[in-house]
Amino acid sequence: MSTGESPETTALVTIRDLHKSFGDNEVLRGIDLDINEGEVVCIIGASGSGKSTLLRCVNLLEVPTSGTIEAAGHDMTHPDADLDAARADIGMVFQQFNLFSHLSILDNVTIAQRRVYKTSKPEAEAEARRRLAEVGIEGKERSKPSQLSGGQQQRVAIARALAVNPKLMLFDEPTSALDPELVGEVLSVMKGLAAEGMTMLVVTHEMGFAREVADRVVFIDGGVIVEEGTPAEVLTNPKTERAQSFLHRVLHPVD
């Protein structure tokens, strides 16, 4: 039995009446969502449904048209929000790896620590090596990104996001740019983070990952949340025709 009357008592992310428009195109149309500390929430839906826009609004890569977002103790929609401080607490991993091609792997992982957060070089490098080991990239610190596989590069991107010790991790379809045989190594790292209790908001088309790791699955269509619940509820027994249709197409693609 729950000890708290209100989800806000444990929520690490609180989103209320979130709207986002690009010109006349209203992409998000009133999103309400809470994510509790230590919870893994997977967002699913068709292309163009607003999934990535929602994720990018959480750390203000996209500025909401209206509504409020509190994340990792920061009022993200306050006019005076300290985004550098907020983004130290909110790590993000993108579809593309976004590594600096001219820098070594070690420098890629330490750059935010040193330039933005003014961590000393020895401390930043020690943390970077620890995080690279955590994601299985030992011995590659002096390599350039082009010398690594796509899966390795995405694991470096995860290490870079972890290096500032965030309270919340955002993943925007982190395996979509990878060859199929490399997907598993990235999902394995994400499963490890979930097992350690990292709070994660994940936009994904990997239904197996969502089924295995998510505490909750949120199905978005047309900029609104159509269904949310446990993986069994949403993925196995969706209630709405729209979710049923989407999942049938995803789980039973035509050859």
Side-chain angles (χ1 to χ4, degrees):
M1 184 171 147
S2 175
T3 57
E5 292 294 322
S6 167
E8 280 78 10
T9 56
T10 55
L12 194 67
V13 179
T14 302
I15 299 170
R16 291 290 179 267
D17 197 25
L18 181 65
H19 291 255
K20 176 61 181 178
S21 296
F22 297 94
D24 294 332
N25 181 22
E26 190 175 19
V27 177
L28 299 178
R29 299 189 290 126
I31 299 288
D32 292 311
L33 183 64
D34 291 308
I35 302 166
N36 290 332
E37 189 170 352
E39 194 174 22
V40 178
V41 176
C42 285
I43 302 176
I44 64 172
S47 296
S49 60
K51 309 183 304 296
S52 292
T53 299
L54 170 59
L55 206 70
R56 292 170 67 86
C57 282
V58 171
N59 69 350
L60 241 60
L61 288 176
E62 298 290 354
V63 178
T65 303
S66 63
T68 61
I69 300 171
E70 295 180 12
H74 302 273
D75 184 348
M76 302 300 292
T77 42
H78 192 282
D80 298 325
D82 184 342
L83 293 187
D84 282 343
R87 288 172 182 160
D89 288 330
I90 306 171
M92 185 159 185
V93 177
F94 301 87
Q95 297 177 33
Q96 302 297 330
F97 321 126
N98 292 347
L99 300 178
F100 294 104
S101 60
H102 64 291
L103 295 180
S104 70
I105 296 307
L106 188 64
D107 287 342
N108 265 280
V109 177
T110 60
I111 190 168
Q113 297 180 70
R114 295 185 61 199
R115 291 194 180 177
V116 180
Y117 306 113
K118 308 305 181 187
T119 307
S120 70
K121 183 177 180 180
E123 187 179 350
E125 290 191 350
E127 179 65 15
R129 290 178 190 279
R130 184 173 79 85
R131 293 301 190 177
L132 286 167
E134 184 178 351
V135 301
I137 305 290
E138 298 97 339
K140 303 284 188 182
E141 290 86 355
R142 297 302 170 192
S143 300
K144 295 291 178 62
S146 62
Q147 296 173 287
L148 274 57
S149 71
Q152 289 173 321
Q153 289 186 59
Q154 190 62 298
R155 284 187 280 156
V156 171
I158 294 173
R160 178 180 58 188
L162 292 172
V164 293
N165 295 300
K167 299 174 183 175
L168 168 70
M169 285 287 288
L170 309 176
F171 292 88
D172 187 5
E173 298 202 38
T175 61
S176 64
L178 299 177
D179 292 333
E181 66 269 22
L182 301 177
V183 168
E185 63 189 61
V186 173
L187 293 181
S188 178
V189 170
M190 294 171 65
K191 289 174 186 176
L193 291 175
E196 292 169 6
M198 176 62 75
T199 309
M200 297 163 59
L201 182 58
V202 184
V203 171
T204 186
H205 58 271
E206 299 288 345
M207 297 301 149
F209 173 84
R211 190 184 305 276
E212 180 181 350
V213 180
D215 296 295
R216 256 189 306 148
V217 174
V218 175
F219 172 64
I220 292 183
D221 186 55
V224 298
I225 294 176
V226 176
E227 291 197 36
E228 71 175 290
T230 66
E233 288 169 341
V234 176
L235 300 180
T236 305
N237 190 29
K239 296 178 178 63
T240 63
E241 184 178 335
R242 184 67 191 92
Q244 292 166 6
S245 173
F246 168 76
L247 287 164
H248 182 78
R249 289 201 318 274
V250 171
L251 299 173
H252 306 284
V254 178
D255 293 333

